[in-house]
Amino acid sequence: MDLRPYYDVLRKTSLLRGMRDDELDNMMQCFHPRVRRYEKGEFLLLAGYENHEVGIILEGSITAVKNTPDGASVAITHMGPAGLFGDVLSGSSLRSPVSVMADAPCLAMYLPYRKIIHPCPSLHESHCQLMANLVTTISNKYFALDRRVELLICKSLRARICIWLLDEAERAGSNTFNVELTRAGLAEYLNCDRSALSRELSRMQQEGLIETYRGSFKILDEERLRAQYQGTGREKAQ
């Protein structure tokens, strides 16, 4: 499959960020990546199985979920085009603790982990950059996981919403942003009941903290939002 139409997507990933077309050409020739399409609801990765590939979303969207002992599932992360998954797991002999499922029809590309850490004899400069990017990516995901844990241990739903809103605004670089998560998906991500989430968002709008419509959010009072997170979230979690 000709992957050149997706080079702009690949350049947006933390793994291949900023690489030129000729560098990506070399990568594709060295890696011969596997590409596969998935329908909505299909699994790209199943918990309990080993994984030795780094996946990149080229089209569509996915959600990584973890099953709990009582049979429920908790959404760990949601990704769209340029999303990277399996990068932390692929270097381990342990089985995956999470499953990755397509939220919508999607196209994914897979790079063999062994080829990332064992460069071809040509040792292209871009391959050295690729390995450095992989280390940075895994390090960043560690801190993202720490932030996710901080969110989940908050006993107050208001605090969880505040953390999520502030993180999304920082990621978007603006206090006005859109998200792909539905209300049901966001409730799962925040580990709460959907109706409780809707009620809390409605209260926050009435209090002049935010404006929201479907997948659009606008933070109206960032200072008060941070104060509520620090006052209700951290203290109650301790």
Side-chain angles (χ1 to χ4, degrees):
M1 178 178 179
D2 182 11
L3 291 168
R4 290 188 178 186
Y6 298 99
Y7 277 8
D8 285 343
V9 175
L10 294 177
R11 271 189 281 267
K12 293 178 182 177
T13 68
S14 56
L15 195 63
L16 301 168
R17 180 167 294 146
M19 290 194 179
R20 303 186 306 271
D21 282 4
D22 61 307
E23 292 175 319
L24 289 173
D25 285 341
N26 287 332
M27 288 291 166
M28 299 306 107
Q29 291 172 10
C30 289
F31 284 90
H32 301 290
R34 180 170 69 92
V35 180
R36 181 178 167 184
R37 288 193 178 275
Y38 297 86
E39 295 302 319
K40 180 179 179 179
E42 279 194 271
F43 285 95
L44 289 73
L45 176 65
L46 276 172
Y49 288 84
E50 291 185 15
N51 174 63
H52 301 293
E53 295 178 308
V54 178
I56 298 174
I57 301 302
L58 301 177
E59 297 176 5
S61 60
I62 61 171
T63 295
V65 298
K66 183 173 177 61
N67 293 326
T68 60
D70 61 1
S73 62
V74 177
I76 304 299
T77 188
H78 178 84
M79 300 179 189
L84 202 66
F85 66 96
D87 44 310
V88 177
L89 300 170
S90 57
S92 172
S93 60
L94 299 178
R95 297 177 180 181
S96 174
V98 301
S99 295
V100 177
M101 183 177 67
D103 290 334
C106 68
L107 180 68
M109 183 185 87
Y110 297 90
L111 301 175
Y113 183 80
R114 60 181 177 81
K115 288 191 176 181
I116 296 178
I117 61 173
H118 297 293
C120 68
S122 300
L123 193 62
H124 303 292
E125 182 180 346
S126 54
H127 203 136
C128 295
Q129 184 61 51
L130 175 69
M131 290 190 286
N133 288 350
L134 179 63
V135 173
T136 300
T137 296
I138 293 174
S139 298
N140 289 342
K141 285 199 171 182
Y142 168 81
F143 289 104
L145 177 60
D146 179 72
R147 188 66 166 169
R148 176 81 167 120
V149 170
E150 183 180 6
L151 184 151
L152 290 176
I153 63 175
C154 286
K155 295 181 180 179
S156 162
L157 175 56
R158 172 69 67 97
R160 273 178 269 162
I161 294 173
C162 289
I163 293 173
W164 178 78
L165 287 168
L166 292 168
D167 283 350
E168 289 298 316
E170 182 178 357
R171 187 177 293 110
S174 170
N175 278 349
T176 301
F177 53 88
N178 294 310
V179 297
E180 296 181 6
L181 285 173
T182 61
R183 284 290 185 269
L186 180 55
E188 185 178 351
Y189 183 78
L190 295 176
N191 196 25
C192 67
D193 180 75
R194 179 180 175 179
S195 58
L197 171 65
S198 296
R199 286 195 300 271
E200 196 62 40
L201 288 173
S202 179
R203 290 192 193 104
M204 293 174 75
Q205 284 199 93
Q206 292 171 7
E207 293 170 20
L209 292 170
I210 61 171
E211 286 182 358
T212 178
Y213 178 72
R214 295 184 178 177
S216 176
F217 291 85
K218 182 178 182 180
I219 296 175
L220 300 176
D221 195 331
E222 182 178 345
E223 185 175 345
R224 257 205 310 156
L225 204 67
R226 290 187 182 279
Q228 293 208 2
Y229 151 52
Q230 293 168 354
T232 65
R234 284 180 173 170
E235 291 175 6
K236 289 188 178 183
Q238 292 174 351

